[in-house]
Amino acid sequence: MKDHSIVVIAHEKLTSDELGELQQLFDSEYRDEFGEWRPQLPYGYAPHDVHIIAQVDGRAVGHVGWARREIVVGTQTVVIAGVGGVLIAEGARGRHLGFDLMREAERTMRAHGGIDFGYLGCREDVVPFYAACGWTRVHAAERSIGRAGELVADPPGQPILIFPLCEPTESWPEGEIDLRGRAW
Ligand SMILES: CC(C)(COP(=O)(O)OP(=O)(O)OC[C@H]1O[C@@H](n2cnc3c(N)ncnc32)[C@H](O)[C@@H]1OP(=O)(O)O)[C@@H](O)C(=O)NCCC(=O)NCCS
């Protein structure tokens, strides 16, 4: 693969060309199964405030998105950056591009200020990728709003991972997680 560049773009600053590039990236992976990518509610998940995009010749070959939210864990309010839309184009995988995008996402979350932890949920088979990026698994029940707008209550055991920003990993509170909205 040719050399890539990584750009960081606030959601409201995405140009129509950049939206088109992201649409192509996501549709090439998910359109058959989930239909068209929609930037405001991608596949029914929460949208992103910030997009970290890997480009080759202006073409998007990778993406990580995140959004700030105050959630409740046990009895405490925790400020998180919810991460989603983590995708590397098929032909560009296995070359540490995902790792590089996650590292840039972590840097931008920290630079934003006032965010306690990065937060994400994923499939069991990609946990080793996020672990390689320095994320730590937590075991807790999670409540959220599902992709169709329904209430979802997941028992403990689903892959949930956090990344320390303003707070150290050990200070993640005990108890059930209420995302107070859709997951990313
Ligand atoms: C998961 C994904 C983002 C990883 O991106 P990538 O650029 O291929 O991964 P990297 O090359 O940066 O891998 C970084 C490390 O994670 C490991 N890793 C990557 N994908 C892995 C996987 N599926 N299972 C186990 N380990 C994995 C790599 O071996 C590497 O380890 P190393 O540092 O010891 O060499 C990419 O495969 C992808 O887009 N998959 C399809 C979409 C998807 O599943 N997204 C996640 C949704 S939650």
Side-chain angles (χ1 to χ4, degrees), residues 7-11 14 22 37 48-53 63-65:
V7 294
V8 178
I9 309 175
H11 188 69
L14 284 170
L22 288 180
W37 179 76
H48 312 293
D49 298 338
V50 179
H51 300 265
I52 294 91
I53 303 170
H63 174 267
V64 171

Side-chain angles (χ1 to χ4, degrees), residues 30 86-88 93-96 98-99 122-123 125 128-130:
Y30 296 121
V86 179
L87 176 62
I88 303 299
R93 289 177 196 161
R95 299 172 195 176
H96 271 226
F99 181 92
C122 67
R123 304 187 312 276
D125 60 301
F129 164 68
Y130 293 114

Side-chain angles (χ1 to χ4, degrees), residues 92-110:
R93 289 177 196 161
R95 299 172 195 176
H96 271 226
L97 195 49
F99 181 92
D100 290 348
L101 286 184
M102 288 298 291
R103 196 170 46 186
E104 184 63 4
E106 291 143 18
R107 189 192 66 73
T108 60
M109 291 170 202
R110 204 182 291 282

